Amino acid sequence: MPRTEPATGAQLGPDGRLHHLITLEGLDRRLVETLLDFAADLRERCRAGARRLPLIEDRTIISLFYEPSTRTRVSFELAARRLGAQQVNFDVANSSVNKGENMSDTLATLEAMGCDAFVIRHGENGMPGNLAGLTRGATVINAGDGNHAHPTQGLLDLLTIRDRKGRIEGLNIVICGDIRHSRVARSDVHGLHTCGAARIHLCGPPELLPEPSGFPDCAIVEDFDSALDGADVVIMLRLQMERMQHLSGLNTDVYFRRYGLNSERLAHARPDALVMHPGPMNRGVEIAADVADGPQSAILDQVSNGIFVRMAVLVTLLGNSAYGHRV
Ligand code: CP
C-alpha cells in the first residue's frame, strides 16, 4: 500500500513568503489564484511576441528527475530558459548517485556550486519536502513525488479548467482511473477544493480507489456512467502499472470497457464537458483516441499551460519582489 501522508516541509521562507512548492494542500485561495493570474499574464505576453522575459536571469535552476518525465521536465526547462535563467538537467543515471552518494549530499554539492532552485521528481513520497528542509537557502519545487503530490500539474489543470469554463467555482468534476497511485489526483483535488469546485467524484475499480480518509469531501464511486451524470469536467488518469506489482494481471481490455472514456460514455456528461488527461496517455486503455483528439479535449492545452504555470512558479519563488508577484 503506498504511503500518502509524508512530511511536506515548510513551504514558507523566513520572510513569510512562499519559498518552496511541495504541495497545493494548505495553500490559500488568494495565492493559488495569483499564480493562475500570473501564468495567464505571462502567456499573453509570450503570445504577443515576447520570445524571452528575463525575469530571473541571475538564477540557476537544476532539475533532478529520479523518475521518467516528458512534459514536466521539458516544460520546466523551457520555462527557465524563457525567463533567462541558467538551467541544468542533472543526469541522475550518470552521476555519483551510482557511486553511493545520497540525495542530501548530492543537493549540498550542487548548492555549493551556486544552485538557487532544485526541481525534483522522485518515486518516494515526501522526498522533495524532506530535501527542502535540508537546503541552505535554495528553493525546492516538487515535480512529482510517489503518489503524494504534483503541484505544478495541479495548477496547470486549474488554469486549463478556468480558461475553458470561465470559472472553477461550482463545477462538477469527475476524476477517473488509477486514483490510488496518482499524485495528480491528490494535487487536483486540493486545488479544486481550494478554488470552490462544487462536487468531486473519484471513480475507478475498487482496487484502484484510495482510502476515503485521504479524500474528505469527495464522493468515491465505482460506477463511471453514473459519476459522469452532470459532469462539467472529466479528468482521466493513466494506469500506473509501474506502481502496482500486486495488479500485474489487470486486463486492459476489460478495464477499457468499464472505465475507458469513449464517445458514448462521454455523452452521459454535460454536452460541453471538458475532457482532460495529465499524460502520458494510453489510448484504448483509459481513453479512446477520438475522444482524446476530439473537440471537448483540452489535453494539449494542459501541456501548453504547463510552460506558463511553471514560469509563474519560478518567478514567484525566485524573482525579485519588484515584479509584484512574490506572495
Ligand atoms: N503529467 C506529467 O507529469 O507528465 P510527465 O510524467 O511526462 O512529466
Side-chain angles (χ1 to χ4, degrees), residues 65 68-73 121 143 150 153 183-184 278-280:
F65 278 66
S69 168
T70 297
R71 282 145 283 269
T72 312
R73 189 178 62 76
R121 170 168 290 188
H150 194 349
Q153 179 72 44
R183 52 197 173 215
V184 175

Side-chain angles (χ1 to χ4, degrees), residues 12-255:
L12 303 183
D15 57 1
R17 290 176 166 160
L18 194 65
H19 183 59
H20 304 290
L21 182 61
I22 306 300
T23 173
L24 297 186
E25 187 172 14
L27 294 190
D28 72 35
R29 184 167 179 167
R30 184 188 61 85
L31 170 53
V32 171
E33 289 179 348
T34 300
L35 284 166
L36 301 184
D37 291 344
F38 189 22
D41 174 48
L42 291 165
R43 181 176 62 196
E44 201 174 302
R45 289 158 74 181
C46 289
R47 290 189 177 158
R51 299 291 308 157
R52 218 165 152 270
L53 295 165
L55 300 177
I56 50 169
E57 60 184 348
D58 54 344
R59 302 301 186 144
T60 299
I61 299 161
I62 301 185
S63 294
L64 299 97
F65 278 66
Y66 289 80
E67 280 193 339
S69 168
T70 297
R71 282 145 283 269
T72 312
R73 189 178 62 76
V74 173
S75 60
F76 263 115
E77 182 173 344
L78 291 172
R81 289 184 181 196
R82 215 170 266 189
L83 293 165
Q86 292 196 60
Q87 201 278 342
V88 174
N89 283 320
F90 180 75
D91 182 0
V92 174
N94 290 306
S95 71
S96 291
V97 169
N98 288 331
K99 300 178 198 163
E101 186 170 73
N102 68 33
M103 281 200 76
S104 61
D105 283 337
T106 300
L107 246 68
T109 301
L110 297 173
E111 196 172 0
M113 292 182 196
C115 178
D116 298 296
F118 296 103
V119 175
I120 301 175
R121 170 168 290 188
H122 201 278
E124 193 177 315
N125 286 9
M127 185 60 87
N130 293 337
L131 292 169
L134 297 178
T135 63
R136 285 174 299 147
T139 287
V140 173
I141 301 171
N142 182 4
D145 61 329
N147 71 345
H148 169 234
H150 194 349
T152 55
Q153 179 72 44
L155 290 170
L156 74 88
D157 286 349
L158 293 177
L159 180 62
T160 305
I161 293 169
R162 200 180 72 167
D163 286 343
R164 295 277 288 252
K165 307 302 287 181
R167 65 196 163 94
I168 296 166
E169 182 88 41
L171 293 181
N172 293 324
I173 315 282
V174 175
I175 305 179
C176 178
D178 183 2
I179 315 280
R180 178 174 292 221
H181 301 100
S182 176
R183 52 197 173 215
V184 175
R186 285 167 177 78
S187 287
D188 280 354
V189 165
H190 289 143
L192 288 163
H193 277 319
T194 298
C195 292
R199 186 194 78 181
I200 303 177
H201 272 102
L202 305 177
C203 179
E207 61 273 28
L208 298 180
L209 288 173
E211 295 298 329
S213 59
F215 290 89
D217 304 321
C218 292
I220 299 180
V221 298
E222 290 176 36
D223 185 57
F224 192 18
D225 292 327
S226 62
L228 285 169
D229 188 24
D232 296 294
V233 178
V234 186
I235 301 174
M236 302 304 295
L237 297 177
R238 181 173 70 88
L239 286 179
Q240 301 196 39
M241 297 296 193
E242 72 277 20
R243 298 193 208 279
M244 52 170 98
Q245 295 85 344
H246 60 297
L247 291 175
S248 53
L250 192 137
N251 182 316
T252 51
D253 292 333
V254 173
Y255 180 85

